[in-house]
Amino acid sequence: MTNYPKIGIRPIIDGRRRGVRESLEDQTMNMARRVAALYEAELRYPDGTPVQVVIADSTIGGVAEAQATATKFRLEGVGLTLSVTPCWCYGTETIDMDRTMPHAIWGFNGSERPGAVYLAAALAGHAQLGIPAFGIYGEHVQDADDETIPDEVRSRLLDYATAGLAVAQMRGRSYLAMGGVSMGIAGSVVKDDFWSKYLGMRNEYIDMSEFDRRVRENIFDPEEFDKAYAWIRENFTQGEDFNPDALKMSDKHEDWWIYCTKMTLIARDLMVGNPRLAELGFGEEAGGHGAIAAGFQGQRQWTDGMPNGDVMETILNTQFDWNGPRPAYVMATENDALNGASMLFNHLLTNQAQLFSDVRTFWSPEAVERVTGYKLEGRASGGIIDLRNSGSTTLDGTFAATQDGEHVIKNWWDLTEADTQAMLDSTTFHPANVEYFRGGGFSTHFRSAGEVPVTMCRINLVDGLGPVLQIAEGWTVELPDEVATTIEVRTDRAWPTTWFVPNLTGEGAFTSVYEVMNQWGANHGAIAYGHIGAKLITLASMLRIPVNMHNVPDEQVFRPKAWSAFGTRDLEGADFRACDAYGPLYG
């Protein structure tokens, strides 16, 4: 996708001519230009290109100019708007009336002209009309000729635009369900109402037999297959087969590698299409499903007889392959569409690869010491949560890439050969546990580096309530090898392992590590590099999804100004009331 949504900037001005408006033209338009320069310098689309910004053709002093700007923005593909002003303007005559996209207003904090007065009046108009908007206002008074953007304003401008671009990039795209419900997992029951009304997306579906058909009929690029297979066999280290001797199928390993490579090509082509297929005579298949995210059911109807999807999921969720660095795809294990949506949120807010993990086990300090003889220390002293998916996750989740001596996930365009090699060197691919995966295949194993800041989130659907979002910021930790191995053996040594410790606040679900695990709403979570909880809260408010659990500091929370009308003491309750009152963004 190269036709990305743009940010529209609306310079708002006092409409009174014969002196007032004329004196403000340059100051107002320069505000818009400064923000445009900020966005173009700091924000990128998933393909690495700078975001595109459209500024109104003129300042907006009344309804005619507001309408002309709205027309321009529609033609230019604007997906979110920011209004800027240093002065008083005419409130409801100048605001943006489009209910289906995010809006924000930056009112300049200056004493020469009352920009804050317009900000308050316009936000009141938004609230009265039922069109929520974000308010941005500097903490300190600036002089009229001060062209700096204060740090607190800069932060709000970037957070708003990042979340708004995520909203706009989802609109009109697809979630592709490859298969149906896996082992009764509720998240893989794809609910069209959620995707269409809250995210503005459509749902596409295929049966998993489509993989087998495309393999049998060679519906993939044979030249790319040769390249991919050679790269995989050269770079993927096959690890120990942990199956009992009676269940080992060594004679089938090479066939599995071949099949898993083909599955990877096919899944990508199903998501986004491949013009090469048309050249090969497969015009229908060349189009793909326009999917920005997908999920593969796998278990059990597929994996009882065919190689599993772990290699496919791992490669697609990783930011490099045989063609070099590239944006990660979003591919959910077990077709858990709700975790796929959670991964998608994280991905669009960071432009980085995401971990799909089981929220598997809480290990108390007492349990770890009883089983291994080891006493947890440091961050882990209150216990750890085992985030181990059943066979796959992004190689970026090794956190083997480094920056300034720290383990990180980088944006794909910053990856070096040393980074990708470090990820590969940290990973082994083991013949799958055939008691679980009777058709064989391989599982991805690594241990995530420790002391890495991460954010785990999860969307859950609750009957009578709708979607809710959970967020837990925290850190990865490492365990001594013998301790980690002892714990891994109790589950499956062939699966990727991440030890997670959430930040505790002493309140609500974050009184202990155990309580975080106890309050988590499902068996899966989406894990992003960095502490991005505040951005997730902003995004959720745009979509009208309440957040029922988070440990983000209050001063970082940024929601539309109208949320304060639903209560200022119980912010969690106010969020629920506001989301219920406004309803889904596209509902």
Side-chain angles (χ1 to χ4, degrees), residues 19 30 44 51 102 137 144 189 221 224 247 263 266 276 283 287 338-340 382 384 526 543:
N30 285 339
R44 297 195 190 190
V51 300
Y137 182 58
V189 180
D221 183 348
E224 187 176 16
L247 297 178
M263 286 180 67
I266 290 167
R276 176 72 175 127
L338 292 179
N339 215 55
I384 57 176
L543 300 170

Side-chain angles (χ1 to χ4, degrees), residues 347-488:
H347 172 66
L348 293 175
L349 291 173
T350 64
N351 289 332
Q352 295 174 348
Q354 304 302 314
L355 286 77
F356 183 112
S357 293
D358 282 2
V359 184
R360 182 165 292 274
T361 311
F362 168 68
W363 280 91
S364 68
E366 295 81 3
V368 171
E369 189 167 10
R370 177 181 64 81
V371 170
T372 69
Y374 177 74
K375 187 176 180 62
L376 293 174
E377 301 174 340
R379 291 190 192 276
S381 60
I384 57 176
I385 296 176
D386 182 353
L387 302 180
R388 186 193 330 224
N389 194 30
S390 51
S392 76
T393 198
T394 172
L395 296 182
D396 296 84
T398 60
F399 301 110
T402 57
Q403 185 170 299
D404 299 326
E406 302 291 333
H407 292 285
V408 299
I409 291 180
K410 293 182 177 179
N411 292 107
W412 69 268
W413 55 83
D414 290 326
L415 287 175
T416 65
E417 288 188 16
D419 291 326
T420 58
Q421 192 60 52
M423 295 183 215
L424 293 166
D425 291 343
S426 300
T427 309
T428 48
F429 292 83
H430 299 263
N433 181 337
V434 294
E435 292 181 341
Y436 288 142
F437 306 107
R438 298 174 188 172
F442 297 93
S443 293
T444 306
H445 178 260
F446 59 75
R447 292 177 190 153
S448 296
E451 294 301 308
V452 177
V454 294
T455 302
M456 181 167 71
C457 78
R458 167 73 189 194
I459 298 168
N460 297 299
L461 291 180
V462 181
D463 184 45
L465 176 61
V468 293
L469 179 67
Q470 296 177 290
I471 301 167
E473 294 184 338
W475 297 80
T476 64
V477 296
E478 293 184 43
L479 301 178
D481 180 68
E482 64 277 11
V483 176
T485 300
T486 299
I487 294 175
E488 286 176 337

